[in-house]
Amino acid sequence: MDRTQVNSIIRSKYEERLDKAINYYASKMVFAQIIFASAFSASELYYGVEYQDQCPIEPMMTTFLILHGAIKFVWVFLTILAIVDARLIAQVMNKNVLARRLMFINLTLQPVFAAWFFIWFITGNFWVFRTKDRYQSTNPTDTSTYCNEEVYQAAFLLIIMTYVIGGITFIGTIRRRVISKKIKHVMKNKTNPEHQSRVQI
């Protein structure tokens, strides 16, 4: 196999993966993810800004909410761009080469923000959970233990809901891929008479 053939195979696999990404972002499931992410992000930004400096026992808690919400909004923006790329440029305008290039750029940027999102989320877990049994919300003058109840509960619930939604999304993705592989396997068997004859024997 010469270098040209190798490059052709690599390019084919590269285009196949980008086409899968385009199909994914053209699906309706992505819209649901955007809705959930936007709602979470708006809530985080609201509580982080509205209750800033109202949790002196852990001052970084509101900072966590603000930055985590902002990063999530960036992800929403990138996802919207990917949807436009998949639905408009690829499907409507039928400019597949351009769509693949734009999708490649998008998929290159997303892991950067995903990594920052994950790191900040884990750090936020540390700040929130270590404060759980140490804070009180009745005496604001005791800054060594005070944290506004609303901001703490908001941070706590948003973290728990992120775990729940993330778990559901992960399970749904795995299930969808397993079903997709089974369908492909069945279709392959139907279109492969040699395989069918071996099975019958």
Side-chain angles (χ1 to χ4, degrees):
M1 185 179 294
D2 58 24
R3 188 170 182 176
T4 304
Q5 290 175 316
V6 172
N7 290 338
S8 178
I9 292 172
I10 294 173
R11 183 177 181 82
S12 177
K13 289 184 177 180
Y14 159 80
E15 291 178 351
E16 182 182 351
R17 290 182 179 180
L18 290 177
D19 287 340
K20 285 183 179 179
I22 289 172
N23 290 334
Y24 170 76
Y25 283 105
S27 66
K28 294 180 180 179
M29 185 177 71
V30 180
F31 286 101
Q33 293 179 356
I34 286 179
I35 292 171
F36 279 115
S38 298
F40 275 50
S41 181
S43 298
E44 288 175 315
L45 288 172
Y46 169 77
Y47 283 102
V49 173
E50 185 71 17
Y51 295 94
Q52 198 167 13
D53 301 324
Q54 292 194 37
C55 189
I57 187 176
E58 186 49 80
M60 291 301 293
M61 195 176 299
T62 52
T63 304
F64 156 67
L65 289 172
I66 293 170
L67 288 181
H68 198 254
I71 295 168
K72 200 172 291 182
F73 257 133
V74 173
W75 177 85
V76 169
F77 177 70
L78 289 174
T79 303
I80 291 173
L81 290 180
I83 291 173
V84 171
D85 182 28
R87 286 182 169 264
L88 178 62
I89 298 176
Q91 294 184 348
V92 177
M93 299 173 64
N94 200 29
K95 294 185 177 181
N96 294 327
V97 175
L98 176 60
R100 290 188 188 114
R101 288 175 181 173
L102 293 175
M103 185 59 69
F104 176 77
I105 295 172
N106 196 303
L107 295 178
T108 302
L109 292 174
Q110 286 208 27
V112 176
F113 289 98
W116 180 240
F117 176 89
F118 178 76
I119 293 170
W120 198 247
F121 177 71
I122 296 301
T123 307
N125 275 248
F126 172 73
W127 288 325
V128 171
F129 288 117
R130 79 168 181 174
T131 310
K132 187 175 186 297
D133 298 321
R134 296 169 47 231
Y135 85 99
Q136 53 84 20
S137 57
T138 56
N139 183 14
T141 59
D142 185 2
T143 57
S144 63
T145 60
Y146 178 75
C147 186
N148 183 285
E149 184 70 20
E150 287 193 37
V151 71
Y152 182 83
Q153 290 300 325
F156 181 81
L157 289 175
L158 284 166
I159 285 176
I160 297 301
M161 290 176 69
T162 298
Y163 277 117
V164 172
I165 298 297
I168 292 173
T169 302
F170 177 77
I171 293 171
T173 301
I174 296 299
R175 184 178 178 183
R176 180 172 57 85
R177 289 184 178 181
V178 169
I179 293 173
S180 177
K181 285 183 178 180
K182 286 183 178 180
I183 292 173
K184 287 181 180 179
H185 181 70
V186 171
M187 295 300 294
K188 185 178 180 180
N189 290 342
K190 286 183 178 180
T191 57
N192 191 340
E194 292 183 3
H195 177 80
Q196 287 182 333
S197 62
R198 286 199 299 268
V199 171
Q200 290 174 356
I201 293 172

Coordinates of all heavy atoms in Angstrom, one line a residue, residues 123-152:
T123 N -13.7 21.4 41.2 CA -13.3 22.3 42.2 C -14.5 22.9 43.0 O -14.4 23.0 44.2 CB -12.5 23.5 41.6 OG1 -11.4 22.9 40.8 CG2 -11.9 24.4 42.6
G124 N -15.5 23.2 42.2 CA -16.8 23.6 42.9 C -17.4 22.6 43.8 O -17.9 23.0 44.9
N125 N -17.3 21.3 43.4 CA -17.7 20.3 44.3 C -17.0 20.3 45.6 O -17.6 20.2 46.7 CB -17.5 18.9 43.7 CG -18.6 18.5 42.7 OD1 -19.3 17.5 43.0 ND2 -18.7 19.2 41.6
F126 N -15.7 20.6 45.6 CA -14.9 20.6 46.8 C -15.4 21.8 47.7 O -15.6 21.6 48.9 CB -13.4 20.8 46.4 CG -12.6 21.1 47.6 CD1 -12.2 20.1 48.5 CD2 -12.0 22.4 47.8 CE1 -11.4 20.4 49.6 CE2 -11.2 22.6 48.9 CZ -10.9 21.6 49.8
W127 N -15.6 23.0 47.1 CA -16.0 24.1 47.9 C -17.4 23.9 48.5 O -17.6 24.3 49.6 CB -16.0 25.4 47.0 CG -14.6 25.8 46.6 CD1 -13.5 25.8 47.4 CD2 -14.2 26.4 45.4 NE1 -12.4 26.3 46.8 CE2 -12.8 26.7 45.5 CE3 -14.8 26.8 44.2 CZ2 -12.1 27.3 44.5 CZ3 -14.1 27.4 43.2 CH2 -12.7 27.6 43.4
V128 N -18.3 23.4 47.7 CA -19.7 23.2 48.2 C -19.8 22.2 49.2 O -20.4 22.4 50.3 CB -20.6 23.0 47.0 CG1 -22.0 22.6 47.5 CG2 -20.7 24.2 46.1
F129 N -19.3 21.0 49.0 CA -19.5 19.9 49.9 C -18.7 20.0 51.2 O -19.1 19.5 52.2 CB -19.2 18.5 49.2 CG -20.2 18.2 48.1 CD1 -19.8 18.0 46.8 CD2 -21.5 17.9 48.5 CE1 -20.8 17.7 45.9 CE2 -22.5 17.6 47.6 CZ -22.1 17.5 46.2
R130 N -17.6 20.7 51.1 CA -16.8 20.8 52.4 C -17.5 21.8 53.3 O -17.2 21.9 54.5 CB -15.4 21.2 52.1 CG -15.2 22.7 51.8 CD -13.7 23.0 51.8 NE -13.4 24.4 51.5 CZ -12.3 25.0 51.6 NH1 -11.2 24.3 51.9 NH2 -12.1 26.3 51.3
T131 N -18.4 22.6 52.8 CA -19.1 23.6 53.5 C -20.4 23.1 54.1 O -21.0 23.7 55.0 CB -19.3 24.9 52.7 OG1 -18.1 25.3 52.0 CG2 -19.8 26.1 53.5
K132 N -20.8 22.0 53.6 CA -22.2 21.5 53.9 C -22.5 21.4 55.4 O -23.6 21.9 55.8 CB -22.4 20.1 53.2 CG -23.8 19.6 53.3 CD -23.9 18.3 52.6 CE -25.3 17.8 52.5 NZ -25.9 17.5 53.9
D133 N -21.6 20.9 56.2 CA -21.9 20.7 57.6 C -21.3 21.8 58.5 O -21.3 21.7 59.7 CB -21.4 19.4 58.0 CG -22.1 18.2 57.3 OD1 -23.3 18.3 57.1 OD2 -21.4 17.2 57.0
R134 N -20.8 22.9 57.8 CA -20.1 23.9 58.6 C -20.7 25.3 58.6 O -20.4 26.1 59.3 CB -18.6 24.0 58.1 CG -17.8 22.8 58.2 CD -16.5 22.9 57.5 NE -15.8 24.2 57.7 CZ -15.4 24.9 56.7 NH1 -15.5 24.6 55.4 NH2 -14.8 26.1 57.0
Y135 N -21.7 25.5 57.6 CA -22.2 26.8 57.5 C -23.5 27.0 58.2 O -24.2 26.0 58.6 CB -22.5 27.1 56.0 CG -23.8 26.6 55.4 CD1 -24.9 27.5 55.3 CD2 -23.9 25.3 55.0 CE1 -26.1 27.0 54.8 CE2 -25.1 24.8 54.5 CZ -26.2 25.7 54.4 OH -27.4 25.2 53.9
Q136 N -23.8 28.2 58.5 CA -25.1 28.6 59.1 C -25.6 29.8 58.3 O -24.9 30.6 57.7 CB -25.0 28.9 60.6 CG -24.0 29.9 61.0 CD -24.4 31.4 60.9 OE1 -25.6 31.6 60.9 NE2 -23.5 32.3 60.8
S137 N -27.0 30.0 58.3 CA -27.5 31.0 57.4 C -28.4 32.0 58.2 O -29.3 32.7 57.7 CB -28.3 30.4 56.3 OG -29.3 29.6 56.8
T138 N -28.2 32.0 59.5 CA -29.1 32.9 60.4 C -28.4 34.1 60.9 O -29.0 35.1 61.3 CB -29.6 32.0 61.6 OG1 -28.5 31.5 62.3 CG2 -30.6 30.9 61.0
N139 N -27.1 34.1 61.0 CA -26.3 35.2 61.6 C -25.2 35.7 60.6 O -24.1 35.2 60.7 CB -25.7 34.7 62.9 CG -24.9 35.8 63.6 OD1 -25.1 37.0 63.3 ND2 -24.1 35.5 64.6
P140 N -25.6 36.7 59.8 CA -24.6 37.2 58.8 C -23.4 37.8 59.4 O -22.4 38.0 58.7 CB -25.5 38.2 58.0 CG -26.9 37.9 58.4 CD -26.9 37.3 59.7
T141 N -23.5 38.2 60.7 CA -22.3 38.9 61.3 C -21.2 37.9 61.6 O -20.1 38.3 61.8 CB -22.8 39.6 62.6 OG1 -23.3 38.6 63.5 CG2 -23.8 40.7 62.3
D142 N -21.5 36.7 61.7 CA -20.5 35.6 62.0 C -20.0 35.2 60.6 O -20.4 34.2 60.1 CB -21.1 34.5 62.8 CG -20.0 33.5 63.2 OD1 -18.8 33.7 62.8 OD2 -20.4 32.4 63.8
T143 N -19.1 35.9 60.1 CA -18.6 35.7 58.7 C -17.8 34.4 58.6 O -17.5 33.9 57.5 CB -17.7 36.8 58.3 OG1 -16.6 37.1 59.2 CG2 -18.6 38.1 58.1
S144 N -17.3 33.8 59.8 CA -16.5 32.6 59.7 C -17.4 31.4 59.4 O -16.9 30.3 59.0 CB -15.8 32.4 61.0 OG -16.7 32.2 62.1
T145 N -18.7 31.5 59.6 CA -19.6 30.4 59.3 C -20.8 30.7 58.5 O -21.5 29.8 58.1 CB -20.1 29.8 60.7 OG1 -20.9 30.8 61.4 CG2 -19.0 29.3 61.5
Y146 N -21.0 32.0 58.1 CA -22.2 32.4 57.4 C -22.1 32.1 55.9 O -21.1 32.3 55.3 CB -22.5 33.8 57.6 CG -23.8 34.3 56.9 CD1 -25.0 34.0 57.4 CD2 -23.6 35.1 55.7 CE1 -26.2 34.4 56.7 CE2 -24.8 35.5 55.0 CZ -26.0 35.1 55.5 OH -27.2 35.5 54.8
C147 N -23.3 31.6 55.4 CA -23.5 31.5 54.0 C -25.0 31.6 53.7 O -25.8 30.9 54.3 CB -23.0 30.2 53.4 SG -23.0 30.1 51.6
N148 N -25.3 32.5 52.8 CA -26.7 32.7 52.5 C -27.3 31.3 52.0 O -26.8 30.6 51.2 CB -26.9 33.7 51.3 CG -28.3 34.0 51.0 OD1 -29.0 33.2 50.4 ND2 -28.8 35.2 51.4
E149 N -28.5 31.0 52.6 CA -29.1 29.7 52.4 C -29.4 29.5 50.9 O -29.2 28.4 50.4 CB -30.4 29.6 53.2 CG -31.1 28.2 53.1 CD -30.2 27.1 53.8 OE1 -29.4 27.4 54.6 OE2 -30.5 25.9 53.4
E150 N -29.9 30.5 50.3 CA -30.3 30.4 48.9 C -29.2 30.1 47.9 O -29.2 29.3 47.1 CB -31.1 31.7 48.4 CG -32.5 31.8 49.0 CD -33.3 32.9 48.3 OE1 -33.1 33.0 47.1 OE2 -34.0 33.6 49.0
V151 N -28.1 30.8 48.2 CA -26.9 30.6 47.3 C -26.3 29.3 47.5 O -25.9 28.6 46.6 CB -25.9 31.7 47.5 CG1 -25.2 31.7 48.8 CG2 -24.8 31.7 46.3
Y152 N -26.3 28.8 48.8 CA -25.7 27.5 49.0 C -26.6 26.4 48.4 O -26.1 25.5 47.8 CB -25.5 27.2 50.5 CG -24.9 25.9 50.8 CD1 -23.5 25.7 50.7 CD2 -25.7 24.7 51.0 CE1 -23.0 24.4 50.8 CE2 -25.1 23.5 51.1 CZ -23.8 23.3 51.0 OH -23.2 22.1 51.1

